Amino acid sequence: MQNTKDYQNMIESALKNYLPQGEFTEQTLIDSMEYSLMCGGKRIRPLLTLLFCELCGVDAKCALPYACAVEMIHTYSLIHDDLPCMDDDDYRRGKLSNHKVYGEDIATLSGDAMQSLAFEIMLSEKALKNVSADKAVRAAHTLSKYCGVLGMVGGQVIDIENEGKNADINILQEMDEKKTAALIKAACEMGCIIGGASDEKIKAASDYAHSIGIAFQIVDDILDVTSTSEDLGKPVGSDNDNDKSTYVSLLGIDKCKELVDTLTNKAIESLSYFESDTTALKDLALSLKNRNN
Amino acid sequence: MQNTKDYQNMIESALKNYLPQGEFTEQTLIDSMEYSLMCGGKRIRPLLTLLFCELCGVDAKCALPYACAVEMIHTYSLIHDDLPCMDDDDYRRGKLSNHKVYGEDIATLSGDAMQSLAFEIMLSEKALKNVSADKAVRAAHTLSKYCGVLGMVGGQVIDIENEGKNADINILQEMDEKKTAALIKAACEMGCIIGGASDEKIKAASDYAHSIGIAFQIVDDILDVTSTSEDLGKPVGSDNDNDKSTYVSLLGIDKCKELVDTLTNKAIESLSYFESDTTALKDLALSLKNRNN
């Protein structure tokens, strides 16, 4: 097994290489895409894709286009999320947000092109050298489903529509399931699909993803009130400023921390469906629980 | 052969059915997508996909998901194009633009989800009942390539960056090749791919698409100065107001009309690579030349 750091380096270099290489008339667009894509994110989603593929006994390199695709979808969603007509955030990961550097028009188009590129790389001849067309179709379909109208984007709409409305816990759960967990599910399921896993294993990976996804969102809500702007790379207290219901506002911090523990344990239990060494995925679940940004 | 009107009805009904059916928490998003998708557009792109598929001797129904996907990509681009940070158009096809009805945030997300849905329907189990995974991959890859960073979105960036700069004819050609012709190429090539055409025929379809695509854009430029707001369904003279170079501003109306004739003839010549009846595609090329909106 490769260690997590090796995989992260592999992802960084692949992401950069998937951007068009050379000088183009629309260079500003490519620069803007690169600005947000190569921003030193944690690369959790693509790492999950690679780790699950390897866990299924297939060389993780085969899953690299799918890993990078899910990171591109995540990146495009952040670019659009930061726009003035959405969350209106000037900073992301301690750097100016895309539209503050390139303008709202280019930022909008940059997100659009990033989504197209995600599908392009999953369906390219190069990806298909290592993966059957059946697997490529199934993996790309999985991502399209989880990132779209009843997935990630749907979750963002639920988020927007419930601002200032004191949404209850059911709405919050549906929102986070779609807004956050859906893309993590896509990452884990795609790794299993490329790895040729059984339906039972794909379901277990999806359960793992659900648990760490919801835990991830709760930790985000906790950090928004307990962290510093420096650690977080963005202003703290923004949920409160925006009058949003969060796990913390509905359940309180102690109950939230308990919930994160329970979900992390559930995630680790889901890994029992796999025969190989699941240490890296266990460690990842634990590190997400204990993160400070 | 079915007539064009039958195909257009088939497309209308399929587009509507591809939207999630039922009541969802994110219903506003679905309503917003439906508002722009079911707006009485001309459906030229999906019609091309069906006609080329049939021309290759395969039931056009097999190409329906790919036809609808290209229309969804076209629709998402129009929603984003109309946003205040882009062209800032209040009207589209005589109706309020998406963001004027649903707000900029929902309109942005509506376009995003529409792009995901395009890929979702091309790669769905239902689509794969009639089409091999190899063809599905190749068709969806074709669309992703033409709609993305070096295709449609790239063309929009070239457009934005050259506003008020008196762009020369070379820039204008690259812009229109990407902004307009690329998606028409995707439509025609996908029809041929699903139809199992040879590379030579795919190339001929692509040439046809290039010619009608550029002609289409030149006709748009002509209509922007010669049409009425009522016929056009949007304000006329907007190119001039925005200080944009157009074929008309660079070449004059007479030269433009000549160019449209030449391109339309070239398009029709490209059809000689196909053995079956190409009447519908000839008529389509001619009708695009003679349209008034």
Side-chain angles (χ1 to χ4, degrees):
Chain A
M1 203 200 73
Q2 302 239 335
N3 73 40
T4 297
K5 194 71 209 151
D6 291 339
Y7 279 158
Q8 274 163 333
N9 290 337
M10 203 195 284
I11 292 161
E12 289 303 320
S13 126
L15 282 172
K16 196 162 163 63
N17 285 323
Y18 279 127
L19 291 168
Q21 308 292 318
E23 279 290 322
F24 298 91
T25 317
E26 56 275 63
Q27 194 58 41
T28 315
L29 176 65
I30 299 164
D31 292 346
S32 150
M33 292 165 77
E34 182 169 342
Y35 177 81
S36 289
L37 194 59
M38 307 312 296
C39 59
K42 291 182 284 281
R43 313 302 190 198
I44 294 162
R45 294 161 193 78
L47 184 60
L48 286 167
T49 307
L50 299 187
L51 289 173
F52 271 104
C53 181
E54 185 200 37
L55 194 57
C56 297
V58 167
D59 185 347
K61 279 205 188 85
C62 301
L64 202 49
Y66 306 88
C68 291
V70 75
E71 187 68 6
M72 287 180 186
I73 295 290
H74 175 58
T75 304
Y76 111 69
S77 78
L78 299 181
I79 298 172
H80 284 187
D81 231 26
D82 288 340
L83 286 170
C85 69
M86 308 270 284
D87 283 355
D88 194 12
D89 276 322
D90 289 355
Y91 290 90
R92 166 73 61 184
R93 294 169 180 150
K95 284 172 64 187
L96 285 172
S97 44
N98 197 296
H99 66 274
K100 295 301 287 182
V101 179
Y102 293 94
E104 290 175 49
D105 47 3
I106 299 293
T108 304
L109 292 168
S110 180
D112 290 345
M114 191 93 76
Q115 177 167 195
S116 312
L117 188 58
F119 288 98
E120 190 177 342
I121 66 176
M122 289 190 287
L123 302 166
S124 70
E125 274 184 40
K126 209 176 150 198
L128 275 278
K129 272 187 189 156
N130 300 315
V131 165
S132 70
D134 283 329
K135 283 183 181 177
V137 162
R138 197 170 168 197
H141 182 255
T142 297
L143 183 55
S144 71
K145 185 183 67 179
Y146 282 124
C147 79
V149 53
L150 299 180
M152 182 187 76
V153 176
Q156 286 170 303
V157 170
I158 297 173
D159 191 8
I160 288 169
E161 295 211 308
N162 284 285
E163 259 175 49
K165 279 195 188 167
N166 294 318
D168 65 22
I169 191 80
N170 292 325
I171 290 286
L172 197 65
Q173 273 173 340
E174 182 179 357
M175 179 184 102
D176 290 337
E177 178 64 40
K178 290 178 170 177
K179 202 180 127 174
T180 308
L183 208 54
I184 298 176
K185 278 188 182 181
C188 298
E189 290 187 28
M190 285 202 296
C192 289
I193 290 166
I194 303 304
S198 64
D199 286 348
E200 193 189 37
K201 282 183 179 157
I202 295 175
K203 172 72 171 61
S206 192
D207 289 344
Y208 169 90
H210 167 84
S211 297
I212 65 165
I214 301 295
F216 189 91
Q217 188 58 53
I218 301 175
V219 172
D220 251 10
D221 291 352
I222 295 173
L223 290 174
D224 190 66
V225 293
T226 62
S227 185
T228 63
S229 296
E230 205 181 348
D231 273 346
L232 214 52
K234 63 175 184 182
V236 294
S238 62
D239 292 337
N240 202 25
D241 294 349
N242 292 335
D243 214 5
K244 275 188 186 177
S245 277
T246 69
Y247 284 95
V248 173
S249 72
L250 290 176
L251 306 175
I253 288 213
D254 290 345
K255 178 79 188 146
C256 280
K257 286 184 174 168
E258 214 174 277
L259 206 50
V260 170
D261 283 339
T262 309
L263 285 165
T264 305
N265 290 337
K266 271 184 76 174
I268 291 170
E269 277 166 33
S270 303
L271 296 173
S272 64
Y273 283 86
F274 295 87
E275 295 87 23
S276 310
D277 181 6
T278 58
T279 312
L281 286 162
K282 275 181 201 158
D283 289 350
L284 185 64
L286 291 168
S287 74
L288 291 179
K289 185 179 94 166
N290 300 319
R291 72 200 165 96
N292 64 358
N293 65 37
Chain B
M1 202 199 76
Q2 302 237 336
N3 74 40
T4 297
K5 192 74 207 149
D6 290 340
Y7 278 158
Q8 274 163 332
N9 290 336
M10 203 195 283
I11 292 160
E12 290 302 320
S13 128
L15 282 173
K16 196 164 164 60
N17 284 324
Y18 278 127
L19 291 167
Q21 307 292 316
E23 279 291 322
F24 298 91
T25 316
E26 57 275 62
Q27 194 58 41
T28 316
L29 175 65
I30 299 165
D31 292 346
S32 150
M33 291 165 78
E34 182 170 344
Y35 178 81
S36 288
L37 194 58
M38 306 310 296
C39 59
K42 292 184 283 283
R43 313 304 190 197
I44 294 162
R45 294 161 192 78
L47 184 60
L48 286 167
T49 306
L50 299 187
L51 288 173
F52 271 104
C53 181
E54 186 200 37
L55 194 58
C56 297
V58 167
D59 186 347
K61 280 202 188 88
C62 301
L64 203 49
Y66 306 88
C68 290
V70 75
E71 187 68 7
M72 286 179 186
I73 295 290
H74 175 56
T75 304
Y76 112 69
S77 79
L78 298 182
I79 297 172
H80 283 187
D81 230 26
D82 287 340
L83 286 169
C85 69
M86 307 271 282
D87 283 355
D88 195 13
D89 275 321
D90 289 355
Y91 290 91
R92 167 72 62 183
R93 293 168 180 153
K95 284 169 68 187
L96 283 171
S97 45
N98 197 295
H99 67 274
K100 295 301 285 183
V101 179
Y102 293 94
E104 288 176 51
D105 47 3
I106 299 294
T108 303
L109 292 167
S110 181
D112 290 346
M114 191 92 76
Q115 176 166 198
S116 311
L117 188 58
F119 288 98
E120 190 177 344
I121 66 175
M122 289 190 287
L123 303 166
S124 70
E125 275 185 38
K126 209 177 150 196
L128 274 281
K129 272 187 189 156
N130 301 313
V131 166
S132 70
D134 282 330
K135 283 184 181 178
V137 163
R138 196 169 167 197
H141 182 254
T142 298
L143 183 53
S144 70
K145 183 184 67 178
Y146 281 124
C147 79
V149 53
L150 298 180
M152 183 185 75
V153 176
Q156 286 170 303
V157 169
I158 297 173
D159 190 8
I160 288 168
E161 295 210 309
N162 283 284
E163 259 175 47
K165 279 195 188 168
N166 294 318
D168 64 22
I169 191 80
N170 293 326
I171 290 285
L172 198 64
Q173 273 173 340
E174 181 179 357
M175 177 183 103
D176 290 337
E177 179 64 40
K178 290 179 171 176
K179 201 180 127 174
T180 308
L183 208 54
I184 297 176
K185 278 188 182 180
C188 298
E189 290 186 28
M190 285 201 295
C192 290
I193 290 165
I194 303 304
S198 65
D199 286 349
E200 193 188 37
K201 281 184 179 157
I202 295 175
K203 172 73 171 62
S206 192
D207 289 344
Y208 169 90
H210 167 84
S211 296
I212 65 165
I214 301 296
F216 189 92
Q217 189 57 52
I218 302 174
V219 172
D220 251 11
D221 290 353
I222 295 173
L223 289 174
D224 191 66
V225 292
T226 63
S227 184
T228 64
S229 296
E230 204 181 347
D231 274 345
L232 214 53
K234 64 175 184 182
V236 295
S238 62
D239 291 337
N240 203 23
D241 293 350
N242 292 336
D243 215 6
K244 275 186 185 178
S245 277
T246 69
Y247 284 95
V248 174
S249 73
L250 290 175
L251 306 174
I253 289 213
D254 290 344
K255 179 77 190 149
C256 281
K257 287 183 175 169
E258 216 175 276
L259 206 50
V260 170
D261 283 338
T262 309
L263 287 163
T264 305
N265 291 338
K266 271 184 75 174
I268 291 169
E269 276 166 33
S270 303
L271 296 173
S272 65
Y273 284 85
F274 296 87
E275 296 86 24
S276 311
D277 181 6
T278 57
T279 312
L281 287 162
K282 275 181 200 157
D283 288 350
L284 185 65
L286 292 169
S287 73
L288 291 179
K289 185 178 95 167
N290 299 319
R291 72 199 165 96
N292 63 359
N293 65 37

